[in-house]
Amino acid sequence: MAISSSIQAQQTLSDPRWQQVVARDAQADGSFFYSVKTTGVYCRPSCGARQARPENVAFHATIAAAEAAGFRPCKRCKPNQAALADIYAEKVAVACRLIDAAETSPTLTQLAEHAGLSRFHFHRMFKAVTGLTPKAYVAAHKVQRLRQQLDANMKVTDAIYEAGYGSSSRFYEASSQALGMQPTQYVQGGKQVQIHFALAQCSLGAVLVARSAKGVCAISMGDDAGLLLNALQDRFPAAVLIGGDADFEAMIASVLAFIESPKLGLNLPLDIQGTVFQRRVWQALREIPSGETVTYSMLAERIGMPKAVRAVASACAANTLAVAIPCHRVIRQDGSLSGYRWGVVRKQALLAKEAAD
């Protein structure tokens, strides 16, 4: 028995998927498809075609279901082909692998040609997927390789060339920012590097904030202030740790204020040291608004690597800048809280404060 057009329209309007179609929500692509009786086609939710009348619309869970109902794919949004976002993500992933494997860093022109795109289009696409420009990604990759060589006790001059720097002079221009210190100091565990720090108490327990010459390099929380300081000393065993700096007290005050009232925001110069992949994950974390959460799989998709869920979780666990890089905003697929470097109880408390703001 055929359903009247008014009843069909009401069913469509009451279906939450209809609002996603009206909004042309690209995030819904792949979760369902919709067909239009008058045109005989099925589309993605994000299709840019003229909006259909609700009485002519039906929803389908899969492509197979839509085609079994007698509908053909829309020529505009091509729902039976890979989504444009997926295509771009794959192109960027290929470009990243080229950069990672190359002895000499490829140029923007070479990367764009390999992707079959113009320099301008590739540059914009790469930044949208990774959060970094191709130039910044190449630079971060060089730093990652340099760290690996220095950690393997390679001579500094050899490590510079092995990492892909064309000349030592070009490297030394950026080495301080790249490593947070001079390369010889990095090898020696931060020898002669000054690290200012302060300890305080808040509703979540003890808080330590440390700053290098480049910015805040550590924000940690725990039950015992002494253990937090010991961990800082272990991280920079040969550095000069300076506590009780009056000017630095203002910085830790801003961190404490943010913990207690997230709506205040936190804008600090950060000394972020990590691998290329970690920096991509951490940048994506910083883009999550206060009061919102994402799953590890969602975070992996945001950096264009949907299969790297475990690696994303590891990058979150490696974060040493609590609240400034808000890894507490990542939850499990079922909505439950996963592990947190500074304790699940603190993670729950941070999320509760943000939700109440």
Side-chain angles (χ1 to χ4, degrees):
M1 180 177 177
I3 301 176
S4 69
S5 60
S6 61
I7 294 176
Q8 179 62 50
Q10 187 58 44
Q11 289 180 346
T12 299
L13 291 171
S14 62
D15 193 309
R17 291 174 292 185
W18 174 245
Q19 291 305 317
Q20 293 175 298
V21 171
V22 171
R24 294 187 170 91
D25 184 3
Q27 295 295 324
D29 285 353
S31 61
F32 71 90
F33 302 86
Y34 74 94
S35 61
V36 183
K37 181 172 61 177
T38 52
T39 60
V41 303
Y42 68 93
C43 305
R44 305 177 190 274
S46 64
C47 185
R50 182 178 179 180
Q51 185 176 307
R53 296 176 65 87
E55 60 266 27
N56 296 324
V57 170
F59 297 105
H60 310 276
T62 63
I63 289 174
E67 294 184 352
F71 295 95
R72 63 184 185 279
C74 170
K75 292 184 178 180
R76 180 165 184 167
C77 67
K78 299 180 176 62
N80 59 334
Q81 297 181 17
L84 190 59
D86 293 336
I87 294 173
Y88 283 174
E90 178 57 29
K91 286 181 178 292
V92 169
V94 170
C96 290
R97 287 195 290 270
L98 284 174
I99 294 170
D100 295 344
E103 292 186 8
T104 302
S105 300
T107 65
L108 176 61
T109 298
Q110 291 171 329
L111 292 171
E113 288 177 351
H114 193 276
L117 301 169
S118 70
R119 283 165 49 96
F120 173 78
H121 193 183
F122 176 80
H123 187 279
R124 184 174 61 179
M125 176 189 70
F126 192 97
K127 185 175 182 180
V129 172
T130 67
L132 299 170
T133 64
K135 182 178 181 180
Y137 184 91
V138 168
H141 175 66
K142 286 180 179 179
V143 172
Q144 178 183 345
R145 291 182 64 180
L146 178 70
R147 287 175 181 276
Q148 292 171 343
Q149 304 296 358
L150 292 177
D151 288 342
N153 295 319
M154 182 179 288
K155 290 182 179 179
V156 173
T157 52
D158 293 338
I160 290 171
Y161 289 104
E162 284 291 329
Y165 291 93
S167 67
S168 58
S169 60
R170 195 173 275 187
F171 163 73
Y172 278 107
E173 291 174 2
S175 64
S176 183
Q177 182 175 3
L179 296 172
M181 60 192 74
Q182 293 298 321
T184 51
Q185 293 174 322
Y186 179 86
V187 172
Q188 296 169 358
K191 187 177 181 179
Q192 297 182 341
V193 170
Q194 291 188 348
I195 303 290
H196 292 259
F197 74 93
L199 289 158
Q201 291 288 327
C202 70
S203 61
L204 300 183
V207 177
L208 178 145
V209 179
R211 182 194 65 200
S212 69
K214 298 301 175 182
V216 176
C217 58
I219 301 177
S220 53
M221 298 181 289
D223 297 323
D224 188 321
L227 292 179
L228 296 181
L229 182 55
N230 289 340
L232 181 67
Q233 291 172 325
D234 290 341
R235 185 177 169 192
F236 301 103
V240 178
L241 300 184
I242 302 173
D245 187 321
D247 292 335
F248 192 58
E249 296 296 338
M251 184 173 288
I252 195 168
S254 67
V255 173
L256 296 178
F258 176 73
I259 290 174
E260 302 301 343
S261 184
K263 67 181 178 182
L264 295 176
L266 187 64
N267 185 23
L268 297 174
L270 301 180
D271 180 4
I272 300 175
Q273 300 175 18
T275 66
V276 174
F277 181 82
Q278 287 172 337
R279 291 169 70 92
R280 289 170 65 186
V281 173
W282 296 341
Q283 178 59 37
L285 286 170
R286 297 179 71 187
E287 294 171 359
I288 303 172
S290 175
E292 296 185 14
T293 58
V294 301
T295 64
Y296 291 102
S297 58
M298 290 169 63
L299 191 58
E301 289 175 0
R302 291 190 181 190
I303 65 169
M305 302 182 71
K307 296 182 179 180
V309 178
R310 288 188 178 181
V312 163
S314 295
C316 291
N319 173 33
T320 59
L321 289 161
V323 302
I325 296 178
C327 55
H328 62 275
R329 294 174 188 161
V330 187
I331 59 176
R332 289 197 180 102
Q333 195 71 34
D334 61 4
S336 63
L337 301 186
S338 57
Y340 184 53
R341 186 186 187 113
W342 298 282
V344 174
V345 173
R346 290 187 179 86
K347 180 173 186 172
Q348 186 175 31
L350 286 169
L351 291 175
K353 289 177 183 292
E354 292 183 357
D357 250 15

